[in-house]
Amino acid sequence: MSRRPYIRPVSKVSWWLSQPRYIRYMAREASCIFIGAYSGVLVVGLIRLSQGAAAWGAFLETLQSPVSIAFHLFALAFALYHTTTWFNVTPKAMPLQFGQTPVPGGAIIGAHYLGWILVSGLILFLVGV
Amino acid sequence: MSNRIVELEILRYNPETDEEPKFQTFSVPCAEDWVVLDAINYIKDELDRTLSYRWSCHMAVCGSCGMMINGEPMLSCKSFLRDLPDRIRVEPLTNFPIERDLVVVMDDFMDKLDSVKPFLIPREEKTVDEGEFLQTPAQLSKFKQYTLCINCTLCYAACPQYAHNEGFVGPAALALAHRYNLDSRDVGRSARADVVASNAGIWECSFVGACSEVCPHGVDPAAAIQQTKIASSVDYFRDMLIPGRRS
Amino acid sequence: MNIIKTDVLIIGAGGAGLRAAIAIAELDPSIQVALISKVYPMRSHTVAAEGGAAGVAREDDSFENHFNDTVTGGDWMSDQDAVEFFVHEAPKELTQMEHWGCPWSRKPDGHIAVRPFGGMKVERTWYAADKTGFHMLHTLFQTSLKFPSIQRFDEYYSTDLIVVDGCCRGATAIEMRSGQMHTFSARAVIIATGGAGRIFPFTTNGAIKTGDGMAMAYRAGVALKDMEFIQYHPTGLPGTGILITEGSRGEGGLLVNKDGYRYLQDYDLGPPDPSPRNKAMELGPRDRLSQAFWHEQKKGRTIKTPHGDVVHLDLRHLGEKKINERLPMVRELATAYVGVDPVYEPIPVRPVIHYTMGGIDTDINAATSIDGLFAAGECACVSINGANRLGSNSLTEILVFGARAGQSAVQILAADSPQVDEAAIHEQANAAKARIADLFLASGGGETVSGLRREMNDTMESGAGIYRTDASLRESSAVIKDIRRRFADIELQDKSNVYNTDLIQVLELGAMIDVAQALIISALERKESRGSHQRLDFTERDDKSYLRHSLASFVKGGDPEISYRDVTITRSQPGERVYGGGEQK
């Protein structure tokens, strides 16, 4: 008799339920679905715009339906979650160091938020709000 | 010894007698400053000499005694009973085949370490008589963190990518490659790229980040992998845009 | 039985074994090296060394200083030709480590930094923060992966050497994961299995340091040299025995008793400068510091804890920044294991068994009395460490003499005829296998490995600790004899093949009993006090009778036979060991 290493089965479906950190990871990954869906809405909007004023008006009206508003709230929440989780890991992916002193993670994250605000501000300015 | 009795549920497996692993519970009278390893040593010495596990240094540096403790990959010599409930579940590290009891098969990990060429490929040849390569404290601090890996493999036990694709080179080995890539004395990055920047290497990682959360020495393999992704993407675009960079 | 043929067999894959393997692979890639170890190389106990490795680096230092510090520190028991060779090779080997990528701490200009250590006239300890052994081991292991001629056999427990016609021809080893016994047939064998601190109950040593290689060589006929000299490190954490590096005193840490008094000044180690000068006070040698603790304890000036008496190591004045930069591991260990953050509180410490100065008798070439058998590292006794090892010489020793052992093995291969008597190898391998098989068959004895081990540990501490007497040693000797007798009645509870740690622990205990007995008898016969060997009944050093190495030779079923060999003196005549203010002229 001798060796017979035992391999424990891993569930292909429910593995991510076994650990809170895996659930958080899946939530982060799942958030992209709503962001993708929202991009889809924007593309539809562009198409409707190219089809003339009536089509565009109908599109705007659809956006005001309760279902649409609910979807947008969801998408906004997930977009925020998506943004904050990714911004929070940026110091890992892009560490900066001056001499021997590493730039604190908070500063790198802060710079991303700052950039976000500036870009948003610029867009709002360009569209004339 | 204090009066606290801790129940240890240990996953046992003897390949010569057991079809599959099963839990066995031991009651252990524990001192308040004990770690889980002390309780396991008590079982070995006083209750059941057939229990098999690895350990040596008892100071969290040799990397032998990684186990799942209440579902979390940890060094048993650094898991204090005072931080744990009275019932503790101890299993061999997940994502590795079980050899016997708490001993797992390490072959795959050792092969992965070897595959990333984890040694200095020097920028210039120099004899010992010519003295050391110069390296400023700032240059050292760029990679120092990634030299701290003790090869305990907790990160492999935590990594769901490794769980589903055993071809994945994995956190510790990729972090070690990154350590040498960042070393100012080293020029081996392209030699390591075949393995490191492959689909089984950094691109298999989806940045779950579990490896870094369980690392007992703050090595942060997830960071190493993301940094390598950025560096190798930059390489890729440079090679595309600058003619003649790569023949 | 499975036979694995190789050119050089190295037993033990810690610092010395890996360095030897690399030396051979670099000299001649066509030489096959089999590197076997009972643990994965990264687990070897080199990993736990903290403070650093000694080698002359500064302009104001010299080989002569390193030589004198080593010889004086060893209380003139070191062989001076070996020390001479060692101090000259040291900086080369440490530079070689740098070339292999070892992350040595640096000065701002990029050159290697050195720190002071105990018993050292000028700073010469190279360090990688306070994880020097860890970084050296991983650097050596990772570098070894470059060489295809090095074939590793991880988790193979070596049981017996094979000696044919006075030549070492290999060894037998158990592959732990299958339980299968393998025979390694080789033309040269290097033992690099580390020390035997585990014969004592309270030690910095990991569980694996059970003197296996020492016992193997000893049983095969090589003498164990100077076994009575075992080092207590003055600063271990109570309870676990975890090492707090001497580097913490090198960086300015102070030792105080329960009154906050720096007691070392009462033991010829003063003056108590606020920051100790080299070779004084906290930077005195380890034997003196551990002995001073013993006296303080007798005077009732130590602090009582549930894990025995302690004194305090105070690092608070160094400040958080320096502690984090130079001593991060000390902070981590003290915080985790005794709940003390050294930035805010002094660390409780007490002397703890740390290092076996003695070991397998080798010459300056790492060669033993058996042709083709070499030894290096803590398991060997060259001897450079004499009666008390200087802190940070051992990490350098594994490099210098590991490499030397490799080179010596290569030389002997060139001279040796490759013809080996295979029948004789088979015969010995079968005998080794039968010995293991007998262990599986034995039943009804009722003795357990844990019970006997505890008794051995206790008697070693009570009879052969910091201070010894004729009576204490005789008592321990009797206890060990009794343990040896009962060892035959040990019964394996685990009769399986796969990863049977019960079996391995029995074999380890067998090795420890042999080593413990050699230690006790050597100590009993050395009727003087020198370095780490202190006798309450013979309190003076006696150069006339004992400026000689003790050699313990194995006698089956009885006490070892003790003989002596003169210490090699080249240029430093024995004098008084003076530390503290008296040293500064």
Side-chain angles (χ1 to χ4, degrees):
Chain A
M1 288 294 277
S2 63
R3 299 185 65 208
R4 197 161 50 85
Y6 183 86
I7 296 169
R8 286 161 284 183
V10 182
S11 163
K12 288 259 179 253
V13 183
S14 63
W15 64 270
W16 56 278
L17 292 169
S18 65
Q19 277 275 353
R21 66 168 67 95
Y22 297 160
I23 297 175
R24 284 198 300 276
Y25 160 75
M26 287 303 265
R28 186 190 83 196
E29 296 295 294
S31 63
C32 71
I33 296 170
F34 285 88
I35 290 173
Y38 185 70
S39 307
V41 171
L42 283 183
V43 170
V44 171
L46 279 176
I47 294 167
R48 302 303 269 166
L49 187 60
S50 70
Q51 290 167 345
W56 175 243
F59 174 69
L60 286 182
E61 200 159 308
T62 321
L63 286 186
Q64 288 165 16
S65 74
V67 175
S68 166
I69 288 171
F71 166 77
H72 276 80
L73 285 174
F74 259 113
L76 179 64
F78 275 98
L80 286 173
Y81 184 74
H82 192 87
T83 308
T84 51
T85 49
W86 279 108
F87 278 11
N88 285 344
V89 294
T90 49
K92 284 179 187 281
M94 291 180 280
L96 286 175
Q97 185 175 327
F98 292 110
Q100 253 181 285
T101 349
V103 176
I108 295 173
I109 298 169
H112 277 82
Y113 279 105
L114 192 67
W116 185 28
I117 291 167
L118 288 176
V119 171
S120 303
L122 184 67
I123 291 170
L124 289 176
F125 173 76
L126 287 178
V127 298
V129 175
Chain B
M1 233 176 236
S2 73
N3 295 326
R4 186 175 174 205
I5 305 284
V6 171
E7 306 278 323
L8 263 79
E9 293 172 28
I10 298 186
L11 192 65
R12 304 292 308 266
Y13 173 62
N14 181 342
E16 292 166 83
T17 54
D18 302 337
E19 257 324 294
E20 55 182 26
K22 51 182 179 289
F23 283 99
Q24 185 179 358
T25 304
F26 298 93
S27 296
V28 180
C30 292
E32 64 181 318
D33 57 355
W34 271 15
V35 290
V36 170
L37 177 62
D38 295 318
I40 294 172
N41 279 338
Y42 179 91
I43 297 171
K44 177 87 175 163
D45 285 348
E46 311 296 335
L47 305 176
D48 187 348
R49 292 214 44 81
T50 67
L51 181 63
S52 283
Y53 54 100
R54 295 185 175 109
W55 75 288
S56 176
C57 76
H58 201 293
M59 56 190 280
V61 69
C62 80
S64 308
C65 69
M67 297 167 192
M68 304 303 291
I69 294 171
N70 285 339
E72 186 74 9
M74 294 170 91
L75 294 178
S76 61
C77 74
K78 215 186 168 187
S79 308
F80 287 87
L81 294 178
R82 59 175 178 256
D83 304 327
L84 292 165
D86 286 341
R87 216 174 162 80
I88 301 168
R89 179 166 274 217
V90 183
E91 298 160 83
L93 288 178
T94 48
N95 302 340
F96 292 94
I98 306 175
E99 187 80 74
R100 159 98 190 255
D101 294 341
L102 299 171
V103 176
V104 297
V105 180
M106 295 268 293
D107 295 1
D108 186 53
F109 172 72
M110 296 302 283
D111 291 344
K112 301 264 164 75
L113 264 193
D114 197 2
S115 74
V116 300
K117 298 191 169 67
F119 38 77
L120 197 79
I121 300 176
R123 190 171 291 280
E124 48 175 324
E125 287 301 329
K126 209 172 179 183
T127 65
V128 164
D129 292 331
E130 293 170 290
E132 75 265 43
F133 296 114
L134 296 187
Q135 183 167 65
T136 63
Q139 289 173 320
L140 172 65
S141 67
K142 282 218 163 74
F143 68 90
K144 183 79 206 231
Q145 169 190 354
Y146 303 111
T147 65
L148 297 177
C149 170
I150 63 171
N151 298 347
C152 64
T153 68
L154 299 192
C155 53
Y156 284 73
C159 175
Q161 288 303 342
Y162 185 62
H164 291 106
N165 172 11
E166 64 169 340
F168 179 35
V169 177
L174 291 170
L176 189 57
H178 191 55
R179 168 252 178 276
Y180 282 103
N181 288 346
L182 287 180
D183 192 320
S184 57
R185 299 165 291 181
D186 183 273
V187 286
R189 202 171 107 200
S190 57
R192 290 179 198 106
D194 287 348
V195 172
V196 169
S198 70
N199 284 340
I202 48 174
W203 301 112
E204 179 67 24
C205 167
S206 57
F207 205 174
V208 180
C211 51
S212 299
E213 286 179 47
V214 302
C215 177
H217 286 276
V219 173
D220 205 347
I225 295 171
Q226 308 327 308
Q227 288 165 33
T228 313
K229 283 180 186 169
I230 291 176
S232 86
S233 304
V234 169
D235 276 356
Y236 175 77
F237 284 112
R238 258 198 215 144
D239 290 346
M240 286 227 310
L241 296 175
I242 304 175
R245 235 181 82 88
R246 209 172 208 184
S247 53
Chain C
M1 194 179 323
N2 195 359
I3 291 208
I4 298 161
K5 277 198 177 165
T6 184
D7 295 315
V8 182
L9 171 66
I10 301 176
I11 305 171
L18 286 165
R19 183 66 189 88
I22 295 171
I24 296 166
E26 283 198 326
L27 277 171
D28 184 350
S30 72
I31 296 175
Q32 283 298 316
V33 178
L35 179 58
I36 75 178
S37 170
K38 65 176 177 178
V39 290
Y40 283 92
M42 318 79 79
R43 318 303 187 210
S44 307
H45 203 64
T46 305
V47 81
E50 296 172 16
V56 172
R58 280 167 51 136
E59 290 292 326
D60 57 349
D61 197 7
S62 65
F63 291 131
E64 185 164 358
N65 281 339
H66 193 185
F67 175 91
N68 284 330
D69 288 345
T70 303
V71 170
T72 315
D75 218 349
W76 280 274
M77 276 299 282
S78 316
D79 283 328
Q80 295 180 10
D81 54 343
V83 177
E84 192 81 51
F85 170 74
F86 167 74
V87 299
H88 279 87
E89 288 297 303
K92 292 186 220 164
E93 281 295 329
L94 296 172
T95 305
Q96 178 65 72
M97 286 299 293
E98 195 281 332
H99 287 191
W100 286 333
C102 187
W104 296 117
S105 293
R106 305 278 180 156
K107 295 191 289 195
D109 67 0
H111 285 283
I112 298 296
V114 286
R115 65 164 42 136
F117 241 60
M120 211 176 252
K121 188 168 181 182
V122 181
E123 293 85 326
R124 73 174 73 91
T125 296
W126 302 40
Y127 61 101
D130 56 357
K131 294 187 175 175
T132 311
F134 162 80
H135 286 301
M136 281 178 51
L137 181 69
H138 281 252
T139 301
L140 285 167
F141 166 59
Q142 289 158 14
T143 302
S144 79
L145 298 173
K146 274 202 293 203
F147 301 100
S149 61
I150 302 173
Q151 194 184 359
R152 283 202 335 272
F153 296 85
D154 299 327
E155 301 200 317
Y156 278 60
Y157 182 86
S158 188
T159 65
D160 296 84
L161 292 174
I162 295 171
V163 181
V164 181
D165 299 330
C167 279
C168 192
R169 290 299 183 190
T172 50
I174 301 169
E175 180 186 22
M176 289 164 66
R177 64 182 181 182
S178 68
Q180 209 189 344
M181 190 94 155
H182 294 272
T183 305
F184 289 83
S185 155
R187 291 154 64 206
V189 176
I190 299 171
I191 302 181
T193 52
R198 280 271 153 183
I199 58 179
F200 285 83
F202 185 62
T203 173
T204 60
N205 286 190
I208 56 175
K209 291 193 66 183
T210 51
D212 313 283
M214 290 181 182
M216 242 187 328
Y218 180 52
R219 291 172 194 150
V222 184
L224 294 182
K225 182 162 72 188
D226 292 343
M227 287 305 291
E228 61 273 38
F229 300 109
I230 186 142
Q231 182 167 71
Y232 276 85
H233 194 290
T235 57
L237 293 182
T240 53
I242 288 172
L243 173 70
I244 297 299
T245 173
E246 192 161 305
S248 58
R249 282 170 284 129
E251 298 295 345
L254 303 175
L255 282 169
V256 297
N257 65 14
K258 69 170 183 179
D259 307 315
Y261 173 68
R262 288 173 66 196
Y263 60 93
L264 293 175
Q265 58 190 286
D266 296 355
Y267 303 94
D268 293 333
L269 287 158
D273 303 327
S275 171
R277 64 184 78 178
N278 288 344
K279 297 182 77 168
M281 292 298 289
E282 286 79 3
L283 293 180
R286 290 176 179 174
D287 54 342
R288 289 287 173 82
L289 265 59
S290 296
Q291 289 150 19
F293 173 91
W294 187 89
H295 289 290
E296 281 297 291
Q297 189 175 23
K298 289 280 167 217
K299 291 176 189 166
R301 303 203 297 195
T302 46
I303 302 145
K304 299 247 175 282
T305 78
H307 294 295
D309 286 13
V310 299
V311 288
H312 278 151
L313 173 63
D314 197 344
L315 304 180
R316 287 175 294 182
H317 55 288
L318 302 182
E320 183 165 6
K321 186 169 177 282
K322 191 167 181 184
I323 290 176
N324 283 346
E325 185 192 314
R326 304 281 180 88
L327 304 164
M329 180 140 146
V330 165
R331 188 175 187 191
E332 217 178 291
L333 291 171
T335 308
Y337 291 96
V338 287
V340 165
D341 184 345
V343 173
Y344 305 107
E345 286 172 272
I347 309 170
V349 291
R350 59 181 311 228
V352 54
I353 286 284
H354 185 53
Y355 188 84
T356 29
M357 265 77 72
I360 301 166
D361 175 28
T362 73
D363 64 13
I364 193 170
N365 296 316
T368 70
S369 57
I370 294 179
D371 285 344
L373 179 64
F374 305 87
E378 193 181 348
C379 69
C381 180
V382 178
S383 147
I384 59 158
N385 298 314
N388 169 62
R389 177 172 68 77
L390 209 63
S392 73
N393 266 355
S394 64
L395 280 180
T396 310
E397 183 185 357
I398 59 176
L399 299 175
V400 171
F401 288 98
R404 185 72 161 194
Q407 290 151 8
S408 297
V410 170
Q411 277 172 11
I412 209 169
L413 289 193
D416 180 51
S417 88
Q419 294 303 318
V420 290
D421 182 352
E422 291 203 356
I425 292 177
H426 268 288
E427 190 185 321
Q428 289 189 33
N430 284 332
K433 196 176 182 184
R435 187 167 72 90
I436 306 298
D438 285 348
L439 278 172
F440 279 85
L441 296 175
S443 70
E447 296 289 353
T448 64
V449 68
S450 46
L452 291 184
R453 193 174 53 210
R454 193 171 306 122
E455 285 182 48
M456 173 191 69
N457 284 163
D458 290 347
T459 199
M460 291 310 288
E461 185 169 62
S462 64
I466 297 184
Y467 282 92
R468 301 148 175 191
T469 64
D470 186 76
S472 77
L473 289 163
R474 279 187 197 287
E475 153 127 35
S476 293
S477 169
V479 174
I480 291 287
K481 248 186 232 164
D482 180 51
I483 292 172
R484 171 183 291 290
R485 184 182 55 73
R486 288 155 59 202
F487 180 73
D489 291 334
I490 223 159
E491 185 181 347
L492 277 185
Q493 276 185 20
D494 189 345
K495 312 263 188 195
S496 57
N497 296 305
V498 174
Y499 220 95
N500 184 337
T501 47
D502 193 23
L503 170 67
I504 299 298
Q505 287 193 0
V506 169
L507 297 172
E508 288 174 336
L509 177 63
M512 286 194 285
I513 293 172
D514 283 344
V515 172
Q517 196 173 26
L519 189 158
I520 289 169
I521 303 300
S522 303
L524 187 64
E525 294 300 324
R526 183 173 287 277
K527 299 179 173 70
E528 64 157 355
S529 286
R530 182 190 297 271
S532 64
H533 173 69
Q534 293 290 315
R535 296 272 303 243
L536 292 170
D537 44 357
F538 298 94
T539 56
E540 298 300 313
R541 195 176 84 193
D542 177 2
D543 288 336
K544 211 162 145 251
S545 309
Y546 291 106
L547 190 59
R548 298 186 299 171
H549 297 294
S550 17
L551 297 166
S553 301
F554 183 70
V555 174
K556 202 168 167 60
D559 280 345
E561 226 173 72
I562 306 291
S563 57
Y564 293 94
R565 184 195 302 144
D566 286 345
V567 171
T568 307
I569 306 271
T570 56
R571 56 194 173 93
S572 172
Q573 290 305 317
E576 205 185 333
R577 284 174 81 200
V578 183
Y579 291 98
E583 217 269 336
Q584 314 282 324
K585 302 227 171 73

